[in-house]
Amino acid sequence: MPAKQKVSIVTLGCPKNQVDTQNLTRLLRARGYDVVTNPAEADAIVIHTCSFIEAAKKESVETILQAAQLKTKGKKLLVTGCLVQQHGPSLLDELPEVDAFLGTGQLSQVPDFLDKPRDRFLDRANPGGFMDPDVPRTRQTTGPTAYLRLSEGCSHPCSFCVIPRIRGPVQSRREEAILQEARELAAQGVEEFLVIAQDTGDWGRDFKATGRLPALLRSVSRIPSIRWIRLMYMHPISFSDALLETLVEQPKKFPYLDIPLQHIDSRVLSEMQRKTDESDIRHLLDRLHSKAPHLSLRTTFIVGFPGETDAQFDRLLHFVQEGHFDYLGAFAYSPEEETPAARRTDQIPEDVKQERLAALTEAYYDVALAKAQQRIGQVETVLLEDSEAGDVFGRTCREAPEIDAVVRLLQKTVEPRGGRFIQAKLTGFDAYEFSAEPV
């Protein structure tokens, strides 16, 4: 290149996409490109898309159109990721402003295209994600938190989900590569890992390393500077007794488990092809509550799945009211093209789905409020993250970033202490936000 060109990457969707972007950033910088934050300043814009549900597709298209307004002579616009993998050829006609479309397995082609631009083209030959297991990615932030991705793709047949078609079957990273990356991230100042995959517990299935996850996590936990390790996106059928023992052995290192259940009614779970039922779930929760009461538990539920009756929804509502979970995400079912659930004729009307979502959210808030009030007066370790208008915001080990409650402290009470981690007494709770004061 005669001059150092600037590239801006806009990342949409889940943390897996954020890791994709960090890998791509490293590749671009290795080729001599300058990766910048502001798309208006860039010579090329890359939109890394999500299409998991209809709202994500809409956001992706709107972001592409906004970026297209910034195009000037010579500026390139590339669209990558799940939207391309799912909708491919139709995008060529619908989005003529875009210079190149690259699927989930073609991110490594972005520098090649920028080096030698071609006519508009589409490549989504191989589903899957881009990752180079032997070279650490370029982090976008300097904070103490980082995602640690174990695998790409998914081999579960959930009837509502497009991920296996978009990302392909599970493709696990080598254990040595994961540990190398974990150590190098720790050397850069990381003290908290969020362990992610489409199903964290499915790591190793494809190279017959099933059952190795506990040993891998123990190795990560032995990295001296690592304080907290959060297990995200754990399918309930993948949770083993050996994994539970690992969490019990080191409660301070493993304070958090995200285990999406999607529903509790056995008939609905069967039609979702979740390979589990109410009895399995209750047995798992009994084990977690009795052996690992220290865990902060998060889950996800879908309301309005095709054919869901009032009685089945009420069963889910009452299950939430039992108070098993510290944090909970709920979504109205969204029919995704070419999935078995989308082809069903017993779709639930949108207004009914939204009513059920509101009822479930309200029920969960009552549970969250009761659980939060039990913590008022306790002294907990708080990781400080952001400041705004005289306040500092952080999290305890019981909260994951961006999705759970935050802790608010007065900046003037925090500054004299220094450091990212402080001890603070929780003094109140309101609308998913704790107030606290340092001790």
Side-chain angles (χ1 to χ4, degrees):
M1 293 179 298
K4 194 170 187 179
Q5 296 189 45
K6 297 179 180 180
V7 181
S8 177
I9 309 172
V10 180
T11 308
L12 305 173
C14 67
K16 276 81 77 177
N17 270 8
Q18 293 183 35
V19 175
D20 283 343
T21 295
Q22 292 169 3
N23 280 322
L24 178 57
T25 297
R26 179 188 55 77
L27 260 189
L28 287 167
R29 287 177 175 166
R31 292 282 191 96
Y33 290 92
D34 184 10
V35 179
V36 299
T37 303
N38 188 353
E41 299 176 355
D43 301 296
I45 304 171
V46 179
I47 311 294
H48 194 42
T49 61
C50 175
S51 66
F52 181 58
I53 59 176
E54 192 61 36
K57 296 176 191 175
K58 182 178 179 181
E59 181 186 24
S60 292
V61 172
E62 289 176 349
T63 303
I64 294 167
L65 294 177
Q66 290 171 4
Q69 295 178 6
L70 299 174
K71 283 196 71 174
T72 56
K73 185 176 180 180
K75 179 174 286 194
K76 299 298 180 182
L77 175 58
L78 291 76
V79 175
T80 61
C82 294
L83 186 72
V84 178
Q85 197 66 40
Q86 186 174 11
H87 295 285
S90 65
L91 300 179
L92 286 168
D93 294 328
E94 294 172 5
L95 297 168
E97 306 90 342
V98 177
D99 297 289
F101 296 92
L102 298 166
T104 54
Q106 281 72 47
L107 271 183
S108 59
Q109 292 186 29
V110 170
D112 296 333
F113 176 83
L114 296 178
D115 285 348
K116 296 181 179 180
R118 291 163 273 169
D119 293 336
R120 297 181 74 232
F121 77 102
L122 163 72
D123 188 349
R124 54 173 191 158
N126 299 305
F130 162 72
M131 55 185 170
D132 183 341
D134 298 313
V135 183
R137 64 187 191 263
T138 298
R139 295 178 64 211
Q140 309 292 44
T141 63
T142 58
T145 301
Y147 292 105
L148 188 64
R149 187 164 71 177
L150 305 188
S151 62
E152 182 53 73
C154 184
S155 297
H156 294 301
C158 301
S159 64
F160 55 83
C161 186
V162 297
I163 293 299
R165 187 162 57 85
I166 293 175
R167 293 276 185 173
V170 64
Q171 305 159 60
S172 299
R173 298 180 65 189
R174 294 181 299 105
E175 183 172 356
E176 301 80 14
I178 295 170
L179 292 175
Q180 174 188 338
E181 181 178 64
R183 295 186 190 103
E184 293 185 359
L185 288 170
Q188 296 171 28
V190 170
E191 298 180 73
E192 175 188 39
F193 283 130
L194 283 80
V195 180
I196 61 171
Q198 302 299 337
D199 171 16
T200 306
D202 210 26
W203 172 76
R205 172 208 285 246
D206 47 326
F207 50 70
K208 298 181 180 180
T210 303
R212 286 287 302 165
L213 181 60
L216 171 66
L217 293 174
R218 284 194 294 271
S219 295
V220 174
S221 73
R222 286 193 285 268
I223 299 173
S225 63
I226 300 303
R227 289 175 178 250
W228 299 336
I229 302 171
R230 303 180 188 275
L231 299 185
M232 313 297 291
Y233 317 123
M234 174 76 64
H235 194 300
I237 67 166
S238 301
F239 193 87
S240 66
D241 289 337
L243 180 56
L244 177 56
E245 291 305 315
T246 301
L247 305 186
V248 172
E249 288 169 6
Q250 300 187 74
K252 291 184 178 180
K253 286 287 182 78
F254 297 100
Y256 190 99
L257 175 64
D258 170 33
I259 189 159
L261 300 179
Q262 310 305 1
H263 215 280
I264 191 58
D265 182 83
S266 295
R267 177 70 179 272
V268 175
L269 288 167
S270 175
E271 293 173 350
M272 287 180 168
Q273 299 183 33
R274 291 288 289 171
K275 299 188 264 186
T276 188
D277 60 19
E278 180 176 357
S279 176
D280 298 329
I281 290 171
R282 288 190 177 278
H283 178 62
L284 172 58
L285 290 174
D286 286 344
R287 289 158 59 207
L288 290 171
H289 292 319
S290 63
K291 292 192 174 183
H294 72 281
L295 282 174
S296 183
L297 292 180
R298 180 178 180 84
T299 195
T300 306
F301 291 120
I302 296 173
V303 302
F305 185 79
E308 182 190 56
T309 65
D310 289 340
Q312 289 168 333
F313 171 71
D314 286 342
R315 184 184 296 275
L316 175 60
L317 187 67
H318 294 151
F319 179 64
V320 169
Q321 291 169 334
E322 292 174 16
H324 296 284
F325 306 100
D326 299 273
Y327 292 103
L328 184 153
F331 303 91
Y333 167 76
S334 173
E336 298 306 311
E337 296 176 25
E338 300 183 33
T339 59
R343 293 192 288 268
R344 291 179 55 159
T345 59
D346 53 352
Q347 302 291 325
I348 304 298
E350 189 62 32
D351 60 337
V352 175
K353 289 192 286 188
Q354 293 304 321
E355 288 173 4
R356 292 177 179 178
L357 179 61
L360 194 73
T361 301
E362 183 177 354
Y364 161 64
Y365 179 76
D366 291 340
V367 171
L369 179 61
K371 285 182 174 289
Q373 288 174 339
Q374 294 174 3
R375 295 169 62 187
I376 301 305
Q378 294 183 5
V379 175
E380 301 189 23
T381 300
V382 177
L383 165 58
L384 304 177
E385 295 185 301
D386 302 307
S387 60
E388 178 183 323
D391 291 323
V392 177
F393 295 90
R395 295 177 287 112
T396 79
C397 68
R398 302 187 66 82
E399 284 80 45
E402 300 182 0
I403 55 175
D404 295 336
V406 297
V407 180
R408 180 195 292 261
L409 307 97
L410 291 175
Q411 190 164 6
K412 63 182 180 182
T413 66
V414 173
E415 287 176 343
R417 287 160 175 79
R420 288 187 178 273
F421 291 85
I422 66 167
Q423 296 298 109
K425 180 179 180 180
L426 303 182
T427 57
F429 180 80
D430 179 52
Y432 304 104
E433 181 180 285
F434 287 98
S435 54
E437 55 188 29
V439 296

